[in-house]
Coordinates of all heavy atoms in Angstrom, one line a residue:
M1 N 26.9 -16.1 19.0 CA 27.2 -14.8 19.7 C 25.9 -14.3 20.3 O 24.8 -14.4 19.7 CB 27.7 -13.8 18.7 CG 28.8 -12.9 19.3 SD 29.6 -11.9 18.0 CE 28.4 -10.7 17.7
D2 N 26.0 -13.7 21.5 CA 24.8 -13.1 22.1 C 24.3 -12.0 21.3 O 25.0 -11.2 20.7 CB 25.1 -12.7 23.5 CG 25.3 -13.8 24.5 OD1 25.1 -15.0 24.1 OD2 25.6 -13.6 25.7
Y3 N 22.9 -11.9 21.2 CA 22.3 -10.9 20.4 C 21.6 -9.9 21.3 O 20.7 -10.3 22.1 CB 21.4 -11.6 19.4 CG 20.5 -10.7 18.6 CD1 21.0 -10.1 17.4 CD2 19.1 -10.5 18.9 CE1 20.2 -9.3 16.6 CE2 18.3 -9.8 18.1 CZ 18.9 -9.2 16.9 OH 18.0 -8.4 16.1
V4 N 21.9 -8.6 21.3 CA 21.3 -7.6 22.2 C 20.3 -6.9 21.4 O 20.6 -6.4 20.2 CB 22.4 -6.7 22.8 CG1 21.7 -5.7 23.7 CG2 23.4 -7.5 23.6
F5 N 19.1 -6.7 21.9 CA 18.1 -6.0 21.2 C 17.1 -5.3 22.2 O 17.1 -5.6 23.4 CB 17.3 -6.9 20.3 CG 16.5 -8.0 21.1 CD1 15.1 -7.8 21.3 CD2 17.1 -9.1 21.6 CE1 14.4 -8.7 22.0 CE2 16.4 -10.1 22.3 CZ 15.0 -9.9 22.5
N6 N 16.3 -4.4 21.7 CA 15.3 -3.7 22.5 C 14.0 -4.4 22.2 O 13.6 -4.6 21.0 CB 15.2 -2.2 22.2 CG 16.4 -1.5 22.7 OD1 17.4 -1.4 22.0 ND2 16.3 -1.0 23.9
C7 N 13.2 -4.7 23.2 CA 11.9 -5.3 23.0 C 11.1 -4.3 22.2 O 11.0 -3.1 22.4 CB 11.3 -5.5 24.4 SG 9.5 -6.0 24.2
R8 N 10.4 -4.9 21.2 CA 9.6 -4.1 20.3 C 8.5 -3.4 21.0 O 8.1 -2.3 20.6 CB 9.1 -5.1 19.2 CG 8.2 -4.4 18.1 CD 7.7 -5.4 17.1 NE 8.8 -5.7 16.1 CZ 8.7 -6.6 15.2 NH1 7.6 -7.3 15.1 NH2 9.6 -6.8 14.3
D9 N 7.9 -4.0 22.0 CA 6.8 -3.5 22.7 C 7.1 -2.6 23.8 O 6.5 -1.5 24.0 CB 5.8 -4.6 23.1 CG 5.2 -5.3 21.9 OD1 5.3 -4.8 20.8 OD2 4.6 -6.4 22.1
C10 N 8.0 -3.0 24.7 CA 8.2 -2.2 25.9 C 9.6 -1.5 25.9 O 9.8 -0.6 26.7 CB 8.0 -3.0 27.2 SG 9.3 -4.2 27.4
G11 N 10.4 -1.9 24.9 CA 11.7 -1.1 24.8 C 12.8 -1.5 25.7 O 13.9 -0.9 25.6
T12 N 12.6 -2.5 26.6 CA 13.7 -2.9 27.5 C 14.8 -3.6 26.7 O 14.5 -4.3 25.7 CB 13.2 -3.8 28.6 OG1 12.5 -4.9 28.1 CG2 12.2 -3.0 29.5
V13 N 16.0 -3.5 27.2 CA 17.1 -4.1 26.6 C 17.1 -5.6 26.9 O 17.0 -6.0 28.1 CB 18.4 -3.5 27.0 CG1 19.6 -4.3 26.4 CG2 18.5 -2.1 26.5
Q14 N 17.1 -6.4 25.9 CA 17.1 -7.9 26.1 C 18.3 -8.5 25.5 O 18.9 -8.0 24.6 CB 15.9 -8.5 25.4 CG 14.6 -7.9 26.0 CD 14.3 -8.4 27.4 OE1 14.5 -9.6 27.7 NE2 13.9 -7.5 28.3
I15 N 18.7 -9.6 26.1 CA 19.8 -10.4 25.5 C 19.3 -11.8 25.0 O 18.8 -12.5 25.9 CB 21.0 -10.5 26.5 CG1 21.5 -9.2 26.9 CG2 22.1 -11.4 25.8 CD1 22.4 -9.2 28.1
W16 N 19.5 -12.0 23.8 CA 19.1 -13.3 23.2 C 20.4 -14.1 23.2 O 21.3 -13.8 22.3 CB 18.5 -13.2 21.9 CG 17.8 -14.4 21.3 CD1 17.2 -15.4 22.1 CD2 17.6 -14.7 20.0 NE1 16.7 -16.3 21.2 CE2 16.9 -15.9 20.0 CE3 18.0 -14.2 18.8 CZ2 16.5 -16.6 18.8 CZ3 17.6 -14.8 17.6 CH2 16.9 -16.0 17.6
T17 N 20.6 -15.0 24.1 CA 21.9 -15.6 24.2 C 22.2 -16.6 23.1 O 21.2 -17.1 22.5 CB 22.0 -16.4 25.6 OG1 21.0 -17.4 25.6 CG2 21.7 -15.5 26.8
A18 N 23.4 -16.9 22.9 CA 23.9 -17.8 21.9 C 23.2 -19.2 22.1 O 22.8 -19.9 21.2 CB 25.4 -18.0 21.9
K19 N 23.0 -19.5 23.4 CA 22.4 -20.8 23.8 C 21.0 -20.9 23.3 O 20.5 -21.8 22.8 CB 22.6 -21.0 25.3 CG 22.5 -22.4 25.8 CD 22.8 -22.4 27.2 CE 22.3 -23.7 27.8 NZ 22.4 -23.8 29.3
Q20 N 20.3 -19.7 23.6 CA 18.9 -19.7 23.2 C 18.7 -19.7 21.7 O 17.8 -20.3 21.2 CB 18.2 -18.4 23.8 CG 18.0 -18.4 25.2 CD 17.6 -17.1 25.8 OE1 18.0 -16.1 25.4 NE2 16.8 -17.1 26.8
Q21 N 19.6 -19.0 21.0 CA 19.6 -19.0 19.5 C 19.8 -20.5 19.0 O 19.1 -20.9 18.1 CB 20.7 -18.1 19.0 CG 20.5 -16.7 19.2 CD 21.7 -15.8 18.9 OE1 22.4 -16.1 17.9 NE2 22.0 -14.9 19.8
K22 N 20.7 -21.2 19.6 CA 21.0 -22.5 19.2 C 19.7 -23.4 19.3 O 19.3 -24.2 18.5 CB 22.1 -23.1 20.0 CG 22.7 -24.4 19.5 CD 24.0 -24.7 20.3 CE 24.3 -26.2 20.3 NZ 24.6 -26.8 19.0
W23 N 19.1 -23.2 20.5 CA 17.9 -23.9 20.8 C 16.8 -23.6 19.8 O 16.1 -24.5 19.2 CB 17.4 -23.5 22.2 CG 16.1 -24.1 22.6 CD1 15.9 -25.4 23.1 CD2 14.8 -23.5 22.5 NE1 14.5 -25.6 23.3 CE2 13.8 -24.4 23.0 CE3 14.4 -22.2 22.2 CZ2 12.5 -24.1 23.1 CZ3 13.0 -21.9 22.2 CH2 12.1 -22.9 22.7
W24 N 16.6 -22.3 19.4 CA 15.6 -21.9 18.5 C 15.8 -22.5 17.1 O 14.9 -23.1 16.5 CB 15.6 -20.4 18.4 CG 14.7 -19.8 17.4 CD1 15.2 -19.1 16.3 CD2 13.3 -19.8 17.2 NE1 14.1 -18.7 15.5 CE2 13.0 -19.2 16.1 CE3 12.3 -20.4 18.0 CZ2 11.6 -19.0 15.6 CZ3 11.0 -20.3 17.6 CH2 10.7 -19.6 16.4
Y25 N 17.1 -22.4 16.6 CA 17.4 -22.9 15.3 C 17.5 -24.4 15.2 O 17.0 -25.0 14.2 CB 18.6 -22.2 14.8 CG 18.5 -20.7 14.6 CD1 19.4 -19.8 15.2 CD2 17.5 -20.2 13.8 CE1 19.2 -18.5 15.0 CE2 17.3 -18.8 13.6 CZ 18.2 -18.0 14.2 OH 18.1 -16.6 14.0
E26 N 18.1 -25.0 16.2 CA 18.3 -26.4 16.0 C 17.3 -27.3 16.6 O 16.9 -28.3 16.0 CB 19.7 -26.8 16.7 CG 20.8 -26.2 15.8 CD 22.2 -26.4 16.4 OE1 22.3 -27.3 17.4 OE2 23.2 -25.8 16.0
I27 N 16.7 -26.9 17.7 CA 15.7 -27.8 18.4 C 14.3 -27.4 17.9 O 13.5 -28.3 17.5 CB 15.7 -27.7 19.9 CG1 17.2 -27.8 20.5 CG2 14.8 -28.7 20.6 CD1 17.8 -29.1 20.2
M28 N 14.0 -26.1 17.9 CA 12.7 -25.7 17.4 C 12.5 -25.6 15.9 O 11.5 -25.3 15.4 CB 12.3 -24.4 18.1 CG 12.2 -24.4 19.6 SD 11.0 -25.6 20.2 CE 9.5 -24.8 19.8
Q29 N 13.6 -25.7 15.2 CA 13.7 -25.6 13.8 C 13.1 -24.2 13.4 O 12.3 -24.1 12.4 CB 12.8 -26.7 13.1 CG 13.3 -28.1 13.4 CD 14.6 -28.4 12.6 OE1 14.6 -28.4 11.4 NE2 15.7 -28.7 13.4
G30 N 13.4 -23.2 14.1 CA 13.0 -21.9 13.9 C 13.5 -21.3 12.6 O 14.5 -21.7 12.1
N31 N 12.7 -20.4 12.0 CA 13.1 -19.7 10.8 C 14.5 -19.0 11.0 O 14.6 -18.3 11.9 CB 12.0 -18.7 10.4 CG 12.2 -18.1 9.0 OD1 13.4 -17.8 8.6 ND2 11.1 -18.0 8.3
I32 N 15.4 -19.3 10.1 CA 16.7 -18.7 10.2 C 16.7 -17.2 10.1 O 17.6 -16.5 10.6 CB 17.6 -19.4 9.1 CG1 19.1 -19.2 9.4 CG2 17.3 -18.8 7.7 CD1 19.6 -20.2 10.4
N33 N 15.7 -16.7 9.4 CA 15.6 -15.2 9.3 C 14.9 -14.6 10.5 O 14.8 -13.3 10.6 CB 14.8 -14.8 8.0 CG 15.6 -15.2 6.8 OD1 16.8 -15.0 6.7 ND2 14.9 -15.9 5.9
S34 N 14.3 -15.4 11.4 CA 13.6 -14.8 12.5 C 14.5 -14.6 13.7 O 15.3 -15.4 14.0 CB 12.4 -15.6 12.9 OG 12.8 -16.8 13.6
V35 N 14.4 -13.4 14.2 CA 15.2 -13.1 15.4 C 14.3 -12.7 16.5 O 13.1 -12.3 16.3 CB 16.3 -12.0 15.2 CG1 17.3 -12.5 14.2 CG2 15.6 -10.8 14.7
A36 N 14.8 -12.7 17.8 CA 13.9 -12.3 18.9 C 13.6 -10.8 18.8 O 14.5 -10.0 18.4 CB 14.6 -12.6 20.2
V37 N 12.4 -10.5 19.0 CA 12.0 -9.0 19.0 C 11.4 -8.6 20.3 O 11.3 -7.4 20.5 CB 11.1 -8.7 17.8 CG1 11.8 -8.8 16.4 CG2 9.8 -9.6 17.8
R38 N 10.9 -9.5 21.1 CA 10.2 -9.1 22.3 C 10.8 -9.8 23.5 O 11.3 -10.9 23.4 CB 8.7 -9.5 22.2 CG 7.9 -8.7 21.2 CD 6.5 -9.1 21.3 NE 5.7 -8.3 20.3 CZ 5.5 -8.6 19.0 NH1 6.1 -9.7 18.6 NH2 4.8 -7.8 18.3
C39 N 10.6 -9.2 24.7 CA 11.0 -9.8 25.9 C 10.0 -10.9 26.3 O 9.0 -11.0 25.7 CB 11.1 -8.7 27.0 SG 9.5 -8.0 27.5
R40 N 10.4 -11.6 27.3 CA 9.5 -12.8 27.6 C 8.1 -12.3 28.0 O 7.2 -13.0 27.5 CB 10.2 -13.5 28.8 CG 9.6 -14.8 29.2 CD 10.3 -15.4 30.4 NE 11.7 -15.7 30.1 CZ 12.0 -17.0 29.7 NH1 11.1 -17.9 29.6 NH2 13.3 -17.3 29.5
S41 N 7.9 -11.3 28.7 CA 6.6 -10.9 29.2 C 5.8 -10.4 28.0 O 4.6 -10.6 27.9 CB 6.6 -10.0 30.4 OG 6.9 -8.7 30.0
C42 N 6.4 -9.6 27.1 CA 5.6 -9.1 26.0 C 5.3 -10.2 25.0 O 4.3 -10.2 24.4 CB 6.4 -8.0 25.2 SG 6.5 -6.5 26.2
R43 N 6.2 -11.2 24.9 CA 5.9 -12.3 24.1 C 4.7 -13.1 24.6 O 3.8 -13.5 23.8 CB 7.1 -13.3 24.1 CG 7.3 -14.0 22.8 CD 8.7 -14.4 22.6 NE 9.2 -15.1 23.7 CZ 10.5 -15.1 24.1 NH1 11.3 -14.3 23.5 NH2 10.9 -15.8 25.2
K44 N 4.6 -13.2 25.9 CA 3.4 -13.8 26.5 C 2.1 -13.1 26.2 O 1.1 -13.6 25.8 CB 3.6 -13.9 28.0 CG 3.4 -15.3 28.6 CD 3.7 -15.2 30.1 CE 3.5 -16.6 30.6 NZ 4.0 -16.7 32.0
T45 N 2.2 -11.7 26.3 CA 1.1 -10.9 26.1 C 0.7 -11.0 24.6 O -0.5 -11.1 24.3 CB 1.4 -9.4 26.3 OG1 2.0 -9.3 27.6 CG2 0.2 -8.5 26.2
E46 N 1.7 -11.0 23.7 CA 1.4 -11.2 22.3 C 0.7 -12.5 22.0 O -0.2 -12.6 21.2 CB 2.7 -11.0 21.5 CG 2.6 -11.2 20.0 CD 1.9 -10.1 19.3 OE1 1.5 -9.1 20.0 OE2 1.6 -10.2 18.1
Q47 N 1.2 -13.6 22.6 CA 0.6 -14.9 22.4 C -0.9 -14.9 22.9 O -1.7 -15.5 22.2 CB 1.4 -15.9 23.2 CG 2.5 -16.5 22.4 CD 3.5 -17.4 23.3 OE1 3.2 -17.6 24.4 NE2 4.6 -17.8 22.7
Q48 N -1.1 -14.3 24.0 CA -2.5 -14.2 24.5 C -3.4 -13.5 23.5 O -4.5 -13.9 23.2 CB -2.5 -13.4 25.8 CG -2.0 -14.2 27.0 CD -2.9 -15.3 27.4 OE1 -4.1 -15.2 27.3 NE2 -2.4 -16.4 28.0
R49 N -2.8 -12.4 23.0 CA -3.6 -11.5 22.0 C -3.9 -12.3 20.8 O -5.0 -12.3 20.3 CB -2.7 -10.3 21.7 CG -3.5 -9.2 21.1 CD -2.6 -8.1 20.5 NE -1.7 -8.6 19.5 CZ -2.1 -8.9 18.3 NH1 -3.3 -8.6 17.9 NH2 -1.2 -9.3 17.4
K50 N -2.9 -13.1 20.3 CA -3.1 -13.9 19.1 C -4.2 -15.0 19.3 O -5.0 -15.3 18.5 CB -1.8 -14.5 18.6 CG -1.0 -13.6 17.8 CD 0.2 -14.4 17.2 CE 1.1 -13.4 16.4 NZ 2.4 -14.0 16.3
K51 N -4.1 -15.6 20.5 CA -5.0 -16.7 20.9 C -6.4 -16.1 20.9 O -7.3 -16.7 20.4 CB -4.6 -17.3 22.2 CG -5.4 -18.5 22.6 CD -5.0 -19.0 24.0 CE -5.9 -20.1 24.4 NZ -7.3 -19.7 24.5
Q52 N -6.5 -14.9 21.5 CA -7.8 -14.3 21.7 C -8.4 -14.0 20.3 O -9.6 -14.3 20.0 CB -7.7 -13.0 22.4 CG -8.5 -13.0 23.7 CD -8.1 -11.9 24.6 OE1 -7.8 -10.8 24.1 NE2 -8.2 -12.1 25.9
A53 N -7.6 -13.5 19.4 CA -8.0 -13.1 18.0 C -8.5 -14.4 17.3 O -9.5 -14.4 16.6 CB -6.9 -12.5 17.3
R54 N -7.7 -15.5 17.5 CA -8.1 -16.8 16.9 C -9.4 -17.3 17.4 O -10.3 -17.7 16.7 CB -7.0 -17.8 17.1 CG -7.1 -19.0 16.2 CD -5.9 -19.9 16.3 NE -5.5 -20.2 17.6 CZ -4.3 -20.1 18.2 NH1 -3.4 -19.6 17.5 NH2 -4.1 -20.5 19.4
D55 N -9.6 -17.2 18.8 CA -10.8 -17.6 19.4 C -12.0 -16.9 18.8 O -13.1 -17.4 18.5 CB -10.8 -17.5 20.9 CG -9.8 -18.6 21.5 OD1 -9.4 -19.5 20.8 OD2 -9.5 -18.4 22.7
I56 N -11.8 -15.5 18.7 CA -12.9 -14.7 18.2 C -13.2 -15.1 16.7 O -14.4 -15.2 16.4 CB -12.5 -13.2 18.3 CG1 -12.5 -12.8 19.8 CG2 -13.5 -12.3 17.5 CD1 -11.9 -11.4 20.0
H57 N -12.2 -15.3 16.0 CA -12.3 -15.7 14.6 C -13.1 -17.0 14.5 O -14.0 -17.2 13.7 CB -10.9 -15.8 14.0 CG -10.9 -16.4 12.5 ND1 -11.4 -15.6 11.5 CD2 -10.6 -17.5 12.0 CE1 -11.3 -16.3 10.4 NE2 -10.8 -17.5 10.7
L58 N -12.7 -18.0 15.3 CA -13.3 -19.3 15.3 C -14.7 -19.3 15.7 O -15.6 -19.9 15.1 CB -12.5 -20.3 16.1 CG -11.1 -20.7 15.6 CD1 -10.4 -21.6 16.6 CD2 -11.3 -21.4 14.2
S59 N -15.0 -18.5 16.7 CA -16.4 -18.4 17.2 C -17.3 -17.7 16.1 O -18.4 -18.0 16.0 CB -16.5 -17.7 18.6 OG -16.1 -16.4 18.5
G60 N -16.6 -16.8 15.4 CA -17.3 -16.1 14.3 C -17.7 -17.1 13.2 O -18.8 -17.1 12.7
L61 N -16.8 -18.0 12.9 CA -17.0 -19.0 11.9 C -18.2 -19.9 12.4 O -19.0 -20.3 11.6 CB -15.8 -19.8 11.7 CG -14.7 -19.2 10.8 CD1 -13.5 -20.2 10.7 CD2 -15.2 -18.7 9.5
A62 N -18.1 -20.3 13.7 CA -19.1 -21.2 14.2 C -20.5 -20.5 14.1 O -21.5 -21.2 13.7 CB -18.8 -21.5 15.7
E63 N -20.6 -19.2 14.3 CA -21.8 -18.5 14.2 C -22.4 -18.6 12.7 O -23.5 -18.8 12.5 CB -21.6 -17.0 14.6 CG -21.6 -16.7 16.0 CD -22.9 -17.2 16.7 OE1 -24.0 -16.9 16.2 OE2 -22.8 -17.9 17.7
K64 N -21.4 -18.4 11.8 CA -21.8 -18.5 10.4 C -22.4 -19.8 10.0 O -23.4 -19.9 9.3 CB -20.6 -18.2 9.5 CG -20.5 -16.8 9.1 CD -19.4 -16.6 8.1 CE -18.9 -15.1 8.1 NZ -17.6 -15.0 7.5
H65 N -21.8 -20.9 10.6 CA -22.3 -22.2 10.3 C -23.7 -22.5 10.8 O -24.4 -23.3 10.2 CB -21.3 -23.3 10.8 CG -20.1 -23.5 10.0 ND1 -20.2 -24.0 8.7 CD2 -18.8 -23.2 10.2 CE1 -19.0 -24.1 8.2 NE2 -18.1 -23.5 9.1
K66 N -24.1 -21.8 11.8 CA -25.4 -22.0 12.4 C -26.5 -21.4 11.5 O -27.6 -21.9 11.5 CB -25.5 -21.2 13.8 CG -24.9 -22.1 14.9 CD -25.2 -21.4 16.2 CE -24.1 -21.7 17.2 NZ -24.1 -20.7 18.3
Q67 N -26.2 -20.4 10.8 CA -27.2 -19.7 9.9 C -27.6 -20.6 8.7 O -26.8 -21.3 8.2 CB -26.7 -18.4 9.5 CG -26.7 -17.4 10.7 CD -25.8 -16.2 10.3 OE1 -25.5 -16.0 9.2 NE2 -25.6 -15.4 11.3
Ligands
LIG101 ZN1 8.8 -6.2 26.4

């Protein structure tokens, strides 16, 4: 069944289609408890943010190793 939700970040109404859910659970082996919370563009922004945080973390570790 299609799942209608509001994007957690920008609040726009999004539809997570039954087809996308099937893909997430069956192909991607996604967590059964996880549901879509963000629209495509906010998800992208969030991924960028996480990647940046990880890069900063990793470069911080590299700095420590130098000392
Ligand atoms: Zn959004």
